[in-house]
Amino acid sequence: MTYANALAALADPTRRTVFERLRGGAKPVGEIANGLTVSRPAVSQHLKVLKEARLVTEYRDGTRRFYAIDTQGLEAVRKYLDGFWDEALTRFKAFAESEEPRRGKRKGKSK
Amino acid sequence: MTYANALAALADPTRRTVFERLRGGAKPVGEIANGLTVSRPAVSQHLKVLKEARLVTEYRDGTRRFYAIDTQGLEAVRKYLDGFWDEALTRFKAFAESEEPRRGKRKGKSK
DNA sequence: CATTTGCGTAAGTCATAGCTTACGCCTATC
DNA sequence: GATAGGCGTAAGCTATGACTTACGCAAATG
């Protein structure tokens, strides 16, 4: 059930920011934390969560710890989401959209 | 930023259960809540969150409210995740994997 | 028109998640 | 071998989110 951990990990905004900072490639913790509003220990804690969710990998070089994106967690989430694109689902969706207007008022407001 | 709401919505286990119950097609609230460990009002609150995240749509039939999966939220998340599959990323991943063993100990243990 | 069915919403409780500061462990360097 | 850099972890605080019960509203039903 890695997809569950990955979803929970990606749900937090600052943790997503940490994760997104790894887009360009592997970075040590200090560099990741630099410029963020939260403290460096907070970043360490986020990285721990991301690691357990298979979203990042870690390797050490001297005194530093480099973190890089791990595609395992991403793939797990992707697979989970793909399970909702069944033809049965989209077929129903088409049905609902043609049925709904007859029922009456759809709430057009966004938020 | 719908993907952010969708990720937050899918992070909760019981909310995911609610969402997954819509796989077979649209269902009224009572039917969704039936068999779950949480109360029906709790389900209503979850559906509200899912709706704001564009993960479900709602339409009414008499006194009932039917909920069905909305692919908008799913697509938003999918797009977000796809942004991490850049060639630059996978290229780096290959680099890291060839570089890492030389550095020494990789932590092979899972949890 | 009173009652029932099917919901959403309000209010309040409780657990948890994210943050901080303080501390301690490695590794490198002098 | 002492010092400094780079992190992870522990402990504690606080906000938030998931739940409950109580209530109220709209549509169907008699």
Side-chain angles (χ1 to χ4, degrees):
Chain A
M1 293 285 213
T2 300
Y3 76 89
N5 295 330
L7 283 172
L10 292 174
D12 183 68
T14 56
R15 192 155 44 217
R16 265 200 313 271
T17 303
V18 168
F19 185 62
E20 292 164 6
R21 285 217 165 186
L22 268 33
R23 268 171 169 270
K27 289 189 181 63
V29 179
E31 189 173 340
I32 300 173
N34 190 20
L36 291 187
T37 63
V38 297
S39 68
R40 182 198 50 77
V43 172
S44 273
Q45 292 166 0
H46 284 307
L47 287 169
K48 181 180 183 179
V49 175
L50 290 170
K51 188 179 175 184
E52 288 174 353
R54 306 269 182 235
L55 285 168
V56 301
T57 55
E58 172 217 323
Y59 67 89
R60 314 180 184 196
D61 184 12
T63 114
R64 317 194 194 180
R65 286 164 149 90
F66 284 81
Y67 285 87
I69 289 180
D70 184 0
T71 53
Q72 288 188 52
L74 289 172
E75 285 170 8
V77 175
R78 202 222 268 266
K79 278 188 183 177
Y80 174 74
L81 295 180
D82 281 354
F84 294 96
W85 258 285
D86 302 342
E87 45 149 342
L89 172 66
T90 56
R91 198 187 311 166
F92 167 80
K93 187 164 179 282
F95 160 76
E97 279 170 353
S98 67
E99 195 75 1
E100 189 177 339
R102 280 199 270 138
R103 303 296 185 180
K105 48 245 90 185
R106 169 194 266 202
K107 298 197 21 186
K109 303 195 35 185
S110 18
K111 170 124 177 244
Chain B
M1 294 288 212
T2 298
Y3 75 90
N5 295 329
L7 283 172
L10 292 175
D12 184 69
T14 56
R15 192 155 44 215
R16 266 201 312 272
T17 303
V18 168
F19 185 61
E20 291 163 6
R21 286 219 165 184
L22 268 34
R23 267 172 169 273
K27 288 190 182 62
V29 179
E31 189 172 339
I32 299 172
N34 191 19
L36 291 187
T37 62
V38 297
S39 67
R40 184 198 50 75
V43 173
S44 275
Q45 294 166 359
H46 284 307
L47 287 168
K48 182 180 183 180
V49 174
L50 290 170
K51 187 180 176 184
E52 289 175 352
R54 306 267 182 237
L55 284 167
V56 301
T57 54
E58 173 217 323
Y59 68 89
R60 312 180 185 199
D61 185 11
T63 113
R64 317 196 193 176
R65 287 165 147 89
F66 284 81
Y67 286 87
I69 289 181
D70 182 2
T71 53
Q72 288 188 52
L74 290 172
E75 286 170 7
V77 176
R78 202 222 270 263
K79 278 189 183 178
Y80 174 74
L81 296 180
D82 280 353
F84 294 95
W85 259 285
D86 302 343
E87 43 150 345
L89 173 67
T90 56
R91 197 186 313 166
F92 167 79
K93 187 163 178 285
F95 160 76
E97 279 170 352
S98 67
E99 195 74 3
E100 190 176 339
R102 278 199 273 138
R103 304 294 185 181
K105 45 236 99 178
R106 170 191 267 198
K107 297 194 25 184
K109 304 195 32 182
S110 9
K111 171 84 180 279

